[in-house]
Amino acid sequence: MTKPTQQAATIRIRIAYGENIAIGQGKADLLEAISRVGSISAAARELDMSYRKAWMLVDEMNQSFKSPVVVAVKGGLQGGGAQVTPLGQEALARFRVIQAKASEAIAEDVKAFRKRLFS
């Protein structure tokens, strides 16, 4: 049996709402990218993701929260785009706090677990 290439053991947190994943690592990264570049398509390119996939993730997030986390910005000289709403910024910030707290809480156990994986 050959050893796999070295990979880091990771923990992924997702917050579900019914059947949907309201937010997880990929959606949080997408929100950050949209906030930074002001466009779903540009954010998708930055994350090496199709526009369709990015749009579906945004739509699922928007359906999971009481109000949209991303809204379209009307066109004009700059051609429009998308904007992360205050609720989207709050959801993103809270998710990052949850990730940090969870990571800190399980750090020793993950370290012990990693010792038992291929290296």
Side-chain angles (χ1 to χ4, degrees):
M1 180 174 175
T2 61
K3 279 187 173 182
T5 59
Q6 185 162 351
Q7 299 177 9
T10 60
I11 303 295
R12 295 182 66 90
I13 295 174
R14 297 181 194 166
I15 299 176
Y17 177 72
E19 296 292 317
N20 292 339
I21 304 300
I23 193 166
Q25 181 66 47
K27 288 177 180 174
D29 292 347
L30 181 58
L31 285 177
E32 285 178 340
I34 292 168
S35 185
R36 189 171 44 258
V37 299
S39 159
I40 295 172
S41 60
R45 283 190 300 275
E46 185 178 291
L47 297 173
D48 210 19
M49 173 187 304
S50 73
Y51 172 78
R52 185 178 190 291
K53 169 87 173 176
W55 188 90
M56 289 173 61
L57 293 175
V58 166
D59 187 52
E60 186 173 23
M61 284 188 285
N62 280 345
Q63 290 181 38
S64 296
F65 288 87
K66 289 184 176 184
S67 62
V69 296
V70 175
V71 294
V73 177
K74 295 269 185 190
L77 293 177
Q78 296 178 5
Q83 183 175 29
V84 178
T85 66
L87 176 60
Q89 294 290 353
E90 179 186 351
L92 176 60
R94 288 183 185 275
F95 180 74
R96 294 302 190 204
V97 167
I98 289 167
Q99 282 183 307
K101 286 180 179 179
S103 185
E104 184 179 328
I106 64 172
E108 288 301 315
D109 291 317
V110 170
K111 184 178 177 182
F113 193 89
R114 283 182 177 152
K115 289 179 182 178
R116 283 138 184 92
L117 299 174
F118 284 111
S119 55

